């Protein structure tokens, strides 16, 4: 392990992107959430949210279910590995923050 500042450059960029971190953090507080709820609580446009969700799905972080009922509905949930990745990411950020606060060259 180098300095805490160098270690910060090695964090998971898929999850750490501000919008994706907001999305995954919101999802970590619940079992699943629909698209409109995620948009409302995290703030991106529909297009940006779709793009971020696609990246998270490709990375195995989230699962996206689309229903074709009367009104189409998109429901997003963290996968089990995704839930673990988000928890580990936050733990690492907290450890890096503490290390940076107490670091002495």
């Amino acid at each position: 392990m180098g300095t805490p500042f160098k270690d910060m450059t090695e964090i998971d960029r898929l999850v750490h992107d501000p919008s994706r971190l907001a999305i995954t953090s919101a999802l970590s507080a619940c079992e699943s959430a629909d698209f409109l709820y995620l948009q409302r609580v995290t703030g991106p446009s529909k297009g940006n949210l779709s793009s971020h969700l696609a990246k998270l799905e490709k990375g195995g972080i989230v699962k996206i279910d689309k229903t074709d009922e009367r009104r189409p509905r998109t429901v997003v949930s963290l996968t089990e590995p995704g839930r673990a990745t988000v928890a580990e990411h936050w733990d690492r950020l907290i450890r890096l923050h503490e290390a940076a606060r107490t670091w002495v060259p």
Side-chain angles (χ1 to χ4, degrees), residues 57-89:
E57 183 178 42
K58 184 177 180 183
I61 304 296
V62 301
K63 178 183 175 204
I64 301 173
D65 292 308
K66 296 185 180 217
T67 61
D68 229 356
E69 299 169 2
R70 285 183 304 158
R71 292 176 57 194
R73 185 171 178 229
T74 300
V75 178
V76 184
S77 58
L78 288 171
T79 61
E80 284 305 314
R83 194 168 290 280
T85 297
V86 173
E88 290 166 12
H89 184 74

Side-chain angles (χ1 to χ4, degrees), residues 1-9 11 90-105:
M1 186 180 223
T3 70
F5 312 106
K6 287 182 183 175
D7 293 338
M8 286 179 196
T9 64
I11 60 175
W90 276 110
D91 289 345
R92 185 168 189 194
L93 288 177
I94 291 166
R95 286 192 313 271
L96 286 170
H97 176 71
E98 286 302 315
R101 288 179 34 164
T102 60
W103 184 70
V104 179

Side-chain angles (χ1 to χ4, degrees), residues 17-76:
D17 172 88
S19 293
R20 292 192 290 270
L21 188 57
I23 293 163
T24 57
S25 295
L27 288 170
S28 69
C30 58
E31 187 174 318
S32 64
D34 72 12
F35 185 91
L36 294 176
Y37 173 80
L38 285 175
Q39 184 186 19
R40 190 169 53 249
V41 299
T42 61
S45 68
K46 288 180 181 179
N48 282 343
L49 180 56
S50 284
S51 175
H52 287 300
L53 289 174
K55 289 176 186 176
L56 290 166
E57 183 178 42
K58 184 177 180 183
I61 304 296
V62 301
K63 178 183 175 204
I64 301 173
D65 292 308
K66 296 185 180 217
T67 61
D68 229 356
E69 299 169 2
R70 285 183 304 158
R71 292 176 57 194
R73 185 171 178 229
T74 300
V75 178
V76 184

